[in-house]
Amino acid sequence: MPIGSASDTIRKFNAVAQANEETLKKNPYSDTYKIQQFDTKNYGRPPPGSKTEARGVKAGVHVCREILFLCETIDQNAEGEEPHKWVKFGKLFNIYSFYSDKLVGMLIRARKYGLVHFEGEMLYQRQDDEKVITMLMALQEIRESLTASGDPANCIQIRRSSAPAPFVPPEVKEKPKLRPIRSDSVTSSKAKFEAPSSINTESDPLPVLGKPKKPWTPKDTSKAPVFCTY
């Protein structure tokens, strides 16, 4: 194997030492640590060309596919007309749970990019089953405009060919609330209980508490019981 000159070897060692020094400047536990300064454009972004950036771009493509699949699922099971089809969260949760457990996260992402609309900051199962999720764009338009951005900070981008249609809240008919059925016996008992009772104090006087009762004395003493004593 050919051996390089001494100057090439020294240059390589200096490059390694320089890279190690730059790494120690970013390590808060080293003696040469310096507070990092970031501009607004590069703050929170991975270093260009790093593996972290490559993973972020790959994750953006995955999120783009997940949001598109969510919009297709809503369109297949929704009511109303395009571009504002709607579906209730409880129904969508039962359908989407067969494919993924990231429904709420994908809904928040889709709302961030102006694809769907729903009330509240978070959706919870059982509690928000009657909340309405409305699409803001037609499915074909979403397929044409939704693409991965290639930027780890913003996973996807929307390329609109026209201005978005004004959002009109859908008219959702509320189900009538069912009242519990009561039997005749319960209804009559309740009526008797709530009806004011009339008390005749002359014919049926109330007992006075605290006084002893009078001892019983027979009217005919000949028929009185006889007690034997020994």
Side-chain angles (χ1 to χ4, degrees), residues 10 49 62 66 89 131 136 140 162 203 216-217:
I10 293 173
H62 177 72
E66 286 279 342
F89 174 71
K131 282 194 175 182
L136 301 180
Q140 185 62 29
S162 60
S203 60
W216 175 79
T217 53

Side-chain angles (χ1 to χ4, degrees), residues 9-230:
T9 305
I10 293 173
R11 190 180 304 108
K12 292 180 180 178
F13 273 106
N14 290 337
V16 173
Q18 183 68 22
N20 187 30
E21 184 179 356
E22 293 296 330
T23 304
L24 290 175
K25 288 181 180 179
K26 299 178 182 179
N27 187 357
Y29 298 101
S30 66
D31 297 334
T32 59
Y33 171 72
K34 293 183 179 180
I35 299 177
Q36 302 296 308
Q37 302 292 336
F38 299 97
D39 54 0
T40 307
K41 182 179 179 181
N42 297 324
Y43 180 75
R45 296 177 182 270
S50 62
K51 294 183 179 180
T52 305
E53 185 184 27
R55 287 192 295 266
V57 174
K58 185 178 179 180
V61 176
H62 177 72
V63 170
C64 182
R65 293 175 181 174
E66 286 279 342
I67 293 179
L68 180 59
F69 176 72
L70 171 64
C71 295
E72 292 175 348
T73 306
I74 295 175
D75 185 80
Q76 294 174 1
N77 301 276
E79 303 177 19
E81 301 294 334
E82 290 187 343
H84 298 312
K85 286 188 173 182
W86 60 272
V87 65
K88 291 187 177 181
F89 174 71
K91 178 181 178 181
L92 182 62
F93 186 91
N94 295 331
I95 297 171
Y96 201 84
S97 60
F98 288 96
Y99 307 102
S100 176
D101 58 348
K102 303 177 180 65
L103 173 60
V104 178
M106 290 297 107
L107 284 173
I108 294 175
R109 283 269 186 174
R111 183 174 66 174
K112 173 184 176 182
Y113 294 103
L115 300 178
V116 299
H117 171 79
F118 58 88
E119 298 293 337
E121 297 182 0
M122 185 63 65
L123 295 173
Y124 299 94
Q125 188 185 12
R126 308 300 182 196
Q127 178 179 341
D128 299 323
D129 285 353
E130 297 299 321
K131 282 194 175 182
V132 177
I133 300 170
T134 310
M135 296 181 63
L136 301 180
M137 299 172 61
L139 181 61
Q140 185 62 29
E141 186 180 358
I142 293 176
R143 289 172 176 171
E144 295 174 355
S145 60
L146 183 64
T147 57
S149 63
D151 185 2
N154 299 314
C155 298
I156 65 177
Q157 60 182 356
I158 307 295
R159 297 177 180 176
R160 296 181 182 270
S161 58
S162 60
F167 172 66
V168 179
E171 296 181 1
V172 183
K173 297 181 180 179
E174 297 183 357
K175 296 181 180 180
K177 296 181 180 181
L178 301 178
R179 295 182 178 181
I181 302 174
R182 296 181 176 178
S183 61
D184 297 337
S185 60
V186 175
T187 307
S188 59
S189 300
K190 182 182 177 183
K192 292 180 181 178
F193 178 78
E194 293 179 351
S197 58
S198 58
I199 301 175
N200 188 2
T201 55
E202 296 180 357
S203 60
D204 190 11
L206 295 176
V208 181
L209 300 177
K211 292 184 178 181
K213 296 182 179 180
K214 295 181 179 180
W216 175 79
T217 53
K219 295 181 180 179
D220 190 358
T221 56
S222 61
K223 298 180 180 180
V226 179
F227 299 94
C228 299
T229 57
Y230 297 94

